[in-house]
Amino acid sequence: MIERNFNGLIVRHRKSAVFFGRETDLNIDGYVLPHWKDQTHVIQPNELRHQYTFSQTEFKEFVAYMEQIALEAWSNFKPKIAVSPGSDYWEYYDRDFDNNGYLTVGEYCINLDGPANQPKTDNPIVRLYKFNKRKFESFIYDLQKTLGVNC
């Protein structure tokens, strides 16, 4: 899997998927609620929430990289406006953690709230978002719109 870091936002991609992640502090303990059947410690919610702010130049570089990896991950990739809940990247369901993640785009910033219930392990990288093709198409569309490309 190919990886690049943008102000602490770790972008990974492979064929048919793009992932956003971040490094967490391994010194912060996970937590378990008493009523849970599974007593595996999970990552604290505040470790899954982050706003990434870019300068205009950094944001243009980020968008260009997103466009590049989209073409590497999927054939026939074309940015499109979201027309259904399945194509809107704002919310996604992560099967691996049986929970939702959230993503919003602002002017030269993105806000991520990763899916909860991720086990606390020795791996400092946590998943914030996993894109499918259709959600990534609408994400790229909105990034380009922020830059004035899709007006």
Side-chain angles (χ1 to χ4, degrees):
M1 201 172 321
I2 300 169
E3 180 179 303
R4 185 154 173 204
N5 192 314
F6 290 90
N7 297 343
L9 174 63
I10 299 168
V11 179
R12 295 177 171 174
H13 74 285
R14 60 172 165 75
K15 202 74 171 151
S16 301
V18 173
F19 303 87
F20 286 169
R22 75 177 287 228
E23 194 167 319
T24 62
D25 186 349
L26 292 177
N27 295 319
I28 297 175
D29 291 332
Y31 73 98
V32 175
L33 293 178
H35 65 277
W36 289 354
K37 286 182 184 177
D38 183 355
Q39 292 294 297
T40 303
H41 285 245
V42 296
I43 296 169
Q44 297 281 353
N46 63 341
E47 292 184 85
L48 298 170
R49 201 170 294 124
H50 197 75
Q51 180 179 47
Y52 296 91
T53 305
F54 304 93
S55 69
Q56 184 177 8
T57 303
E58 291 170 333
F59 195 73
K60 285 180 179 179
E61 184 180 327
F62 175 74
V63 173
Y65 186 70
M66 295 299 103
E67 292 168 338
Q68 174 193 329
I69 66 173
L71 297 173
E72 293 173 13
W74 296 284
S75 61
N76 301 321
F77 184 88
K78 184 173 179 180
K80 300 174 192 169
I81 193 166
V83 294
S84 70
S87 63
D88 190 353
Y89 59 85
W90 173 77
E91 178 180 46
Y92 92 103
Y93 174 72
D94 195 307
R95 257 182 282 189
D96 294 337
F97 308 118
D98 191 24
N99 223 300
N100 291 341
Y102 301 90
L103 167 63
T104 58
V105 175
E107 187 174 0
Y108 310 131
C109 72
I110 60 173
N111 295 293
L112 285 150
D113 192 357
N117 297 338
Q118 295 187 47
K120 187 76 173 179
T121 66
D122 291 337
N123 182 355
I125 308 300
V126 296
R127 183 185 303 166
L128 298 177
Y129 204 98
K130 179 181 177 183
F131 286 96
N132 63 28
K133 181 179 179 182
R134 189 57 194 100
K135 287 187 185 290
F136 205 62
E137 286 175 332
S138 67
F139 177 64
I140 296 291
Y141 180 90
D142 284 353
L143 290 176
Q144 291 175 339
K145 189 175 176 182
T146 300
L147 291 176
V149 175
N150 278 323
C151 293

